[in-house]
Amino acid sequence: MHPLLERAMTTTRRQFFSRAATGVGIGTAALASLLNQPLSTAAESASAEGADGGLPGMPHFAPRAKRVIYLCQSGGPSQFETFDYKPELAKLFDQDVPKSVFGSQRLTGMTSGQARFAVTPSYYKFKQHGESGTWVSELLPRLAEIIDELCLIKSVHTEAINHDPAITFFQTGSQQPGRPSFGAWVNYGLGSENQNLPAFVVMNSMGTGRPVGQPLYARLWGSGFLPSSYQGVQFRSVGDPVMYLSNPPGLDETGRRELLDGLAQINQLQQAQFGDPEIATRIASFEMAYRMQTSVPELIDVSGETKQTLEMYGDDVAKPGTYARNCLLARRLAERGVRFIQLYHRGWDQHGDLVPQISRQCHDVDQPTAALIKDLKQRGMLEDTLIIWGGEFGRTVYSQGTLTKDNYGRDHHPRCFTMFLAGGGSKGGYSHGATDDFSYNITEAPLHVHDLNATILHLLGIDHERLTYRFQGRDFRLTDVHGTVVSELIG
């Protein structure tokens, strides 16, 4: 068999259907500008498609937000200890939750076998704040100061009752792994505003609440069946922010440039033969890494920030990898045109020992989150930067395990919980939805995960029903076949 024929027969199923669906293949289209110019200019334009990028006709209409900072609180923050004030529960301390409250709803295996389901009021005090008069826990004093910037959603609900499917649902629109993440969809639809940084950046931090947080998997910021060029790039807190960013010993910048040019020639030959979209991704990632050698060190060097700014974020801002430091870096990424910035903060899963754990966990996030919002506002960026804060579900009104006056635990509760938006066209000083006296069922304006995602896309100028990708004979979208834009959340 002729060598070329033999190699042609090694085309993968993914390559075949990609080319069949698009005529020329996604990778070929994305790489067209590279293949039609000298290699000497390849370095300047390898990421140009990503820098302008986006789909034709996107955004669909004038956006309110240009970028997103998603503050994902992994583990499920308790609405009782943060924003959903239930003063009547104090009168019911240690009484059994009425069976009428539960209805036919399922419980997790961790508490379904309990002998009792004792009503558990919050240990913490609440006060009204701002012109809106919103009730906020004493655990969040800095956020209370800017409560009129926040759009509280007290009626979020989801189907998933365990961590992995629940957070996967929020991040991808499906409880089953394999779908593109929210940031990947936005990257695919809108592209990037910066040639020297990824359009989608992810940072993780570990809270001081629960010592062991829920695991986070790269698929939460992955591209699923989209080309892998749209996946999030994770910044590390130790060593190089991005793996292999620094040149190895014995290789200088000139040598690296020559090496990349040689690899580009080989990859372009492969691309011409096979049309595999992953080859285009490979070239773009090599070139982006080369550009990031300059852009990332400048990004993470916060020595130029004023003393006032650093103090605003709190003492932890001096420690790489903390939530406070990541919030500051999020603002710096937003300034540089990064489209989607995702911060994961672990440690919110308080099944027991909630009182000391959640007080530390709230301390981690209260000041830095408020500082990020204030920092963006004073720089004139809050109006077109959408902040999202929340976890994958809430917590139960009944105690998991032993209940005492000064300590208790709470199990997972997907039926109703609280998140908030800020900036980016959201309605500040507004509380959406309501729950019953036990914060167990929604009594007003329920908001599903798909509705939230549809509304976020709308603020970015995207019709969620029109942002689709054809895969395995079906047009997929972030909101699946669901989702309604909730106009009440829009300012």
Side-chain angles (χ1 to χ4, degrees):
M1 182 179 295
H2 191 281
L4 289 179
L5 178 59
E6 183 177 5
R7 293 184 70 184
M9 291 178 67
T10 64
T11 299
T12 65
R13 175 185 172 90
R14 182 175 185 179
Q15 294 162 15
F16 173 80
F17 283 111
S18 175
R19 282 180 289 179
T22 63
V24 295
I26 297 169
T28 303
L31 202 58
S33 60
L34 275 176
L35 297 178
N36 290 323
Q37 63 181 300
L39 272 178
S40 59
T41 61
E44 285 75 23
S45 62
S47 60
E49 188 272 339
D52 301 319
L55 299 175
M58 296 278 283
H60 298 127
F61 42 84
R64 301 292 298 274
K66 293 182 179 179
R67 65 197 71 85
V68 170
I69 301 177
Y70 200 140
L71 307 174
C72 183
Q73 310 304 312
S74 172
S78 169
Q79 70 273 25
F80 295 96
E81 277 70 39
T82 51
F83 296 107
D84 202 6
Y85 182 42
K86 298 298 176 185
E88 296 301 312
L89 293 181
K91 303 174 185 176
L92 303 174
F93 176 82
D94 202 24
Q95 297 183 27
D96 288 342
V97 177
K99 291 183 179 180
S100 60
V101 173
F102 290 113
S104 60
Q105 299 163 21
R106 63 176 177 150
L107 307 178
T108 75
M110 291 172 284
T111 54
S112 60
Q114 287 189 177
R116 296 187 60 226
F117 297 93
V119 172
T120 307
S122 178
Y123 176 79
Y124 299 97
K125 297 177 182 177
F126 279 67
K127 289 184 180 179
Q128 288 179 289
H129 295 270
E131 293 184 8
S132 59
T134 303
W135 292 93
V136 183
S137 165
E138 62 180 315
L139 291 177
L140 302 170
R142 303 301 180 94
L143 283 170
E145 292 174 359
I146 60 165
I147 194 64
D148 288 336
E149 299 288 351
L150 308 187
C151 177
L152 286 182
I153 311 170
K154 296 183 177 180
S155 55
V156 186
H157 63 100
T158 181
E159 290 95 54
I161 200 168
N162 290 314
H163 292 287
D164 189 56
I167 197 168
T168 302
F169 193 23
F170 258 99
Q171 301 306 306
T172 70
S174 172
Q175 295 186 49
Q176 298 297 320
R179 301 283 185 89
S181 61
F182 202 136
W185 277 113
V186 172
N187 189 3
Y188 167 65
L190 297 179
S192 175
E193 293 184 312
N194 189 317
Q195 294 187 18
N196 300 319
L197 288 168
F200 178 17
V201 171
V202 177
M203 292 178 283
N204 297 331
S205 56
M206 184 66 224
T208 59
R210 189 179 181 194
V212 179
Q214 291 299 316
L216 298 173
Y217 303 99
R219 57 179 162 78
L220 296 176
W221 50 90
S223 58
F225 46 69
L226 292 175
S228 56
S229 56
Y230 298 112
Q231 68 186 348
V233 175
Q234 184 180 357
F235 279 17
R236 305 186 308 156
S237 59
V238 179
D240 284 343
V242 181
M243 293 285 284
Y244 311 117
L245 191 63
S246 299
N247 290 326
L251 183 67
D252 58 16
E253 185 175 352
T254 300
R256 183 163 182 151
R257 181 68 264 162
E258 292 174 350
L259 176 63
L260 288 177
D261 287 342
L263 283 172
Q265 288 180 317
I266 296 171
N267 285 327
Q268 287 170 17
L269 290 172
Q270 292 284 310
Q271 175 68 24
Q273 287 185 342
F274 296 102
D276 183 355
E278 292 305 307
I279 297 177
T281 295
R282 189 185 311 154
I283 297 174
S285 65
F286 287 160
E287 295 297 340
M288 176 60 76
Y290 182 78
R291 291 168 176 268
M292 287 168 63
Q293 283 190 300
T294 300
S295 60
V296 170
E298 183 275 332
L299 166 74
I300 64 172
D301 181 5
V302 300
S303 61
E305 298 286 345
T306 65
K307 180 181 179 182
Q308 181 182 12
T309 297
L310 295 175
E311 289 177 348
M312 183 168 62
Y313 283 87
D315 293 340
D316 282 348
V317 76
K319 306 172 187 175
T322 60
Y323 181 81
R325 180 63 158 251
N326 288 347
C327 280
L328 176 58
L329 292 179
R331 190 222 79 208
R332 292 173 65 85
L333 286 163
E335 283 181 312
R336 288 155 177 78
V338 174
R339 181 79 66 184
F340 203 96
I341 304 152
Q342 189 122 26
L343 272 58
Y344 291 90
H345 189 61
R346 300 161 63 199
W348 289 97
D349 192 25
Q350 279 86 36
H351 288 272
D353 209 22
L354 181 145
V355 171
Q357 288 187 12
I358 202 168
S359 62
R360 296 193 297 268
Q361 197 74 11
C362 285
H363 182 267
D364 291 342
V365 304
D366 178 46
Q367 183 172 351
T369 304
L372 174 61
I373 294 169
K374 290 189 288 186
D375 202 2
L376 289 168
K377 184 173 183 178
Q378 68 188 16
R379 294 169 190 271
M381 296 177 61
L382 184 60
E383 62 184 20
D384 60 8
T385 303
L386 179 64
I387 307 292
I388 308 164
W389 188 98
E392 63 266 38
F393 41 55
R395 314 303 296 197
T396 56
V397 64
Y398 59 82
S399 179
Q400 178 173 349
T402 303
L403 168 64
T404 66
K405 285 285 187 181
D406 56 6
N407 206 2
Y408 45 87
R410 298 191 190 274
D411 199 4
H412 308 165
H413 188 62
R415 295 286 300 178
C416 56
F417 53 104
T418 303
M419 298 180 65
F420 72 72
L421 308 177
S426 61
K427 185 185 295 184
Y430 171 68
S431 291
H432 183 83
T435 61
D436 62 18
D437 289 340
F438 298 88
S439 193
Y440 203 90
N441 298 288
I442 295 171
T443 59
E444 179 184 321
L447 190 141
H448 189 267
V449 175
H450 290 310
D451 300 330
L452 177 64
N453 289 346
T455 305
I456 294 168
L457 288 176
H458 181 86
L459 290 170
L460 288 164
I462 299 172
D463 180 345
H464 71 105
E465 295 184 347
R466 295 165 61 192
L467 179 60
T468 63
Y469 187 88
R470 194 161 192 81
F471 177 67
Q472 294 182 340
R474 176 190 164 188
D475 289 333
F476 284 85
R477 69 185 204 220
L478 175 65
T479 51
D480 195 45
V481 295
H482 310 282
T484 300
V485 175
V486 182
S487 59
E488 293 85 349
L489 305 181
I490 301 173

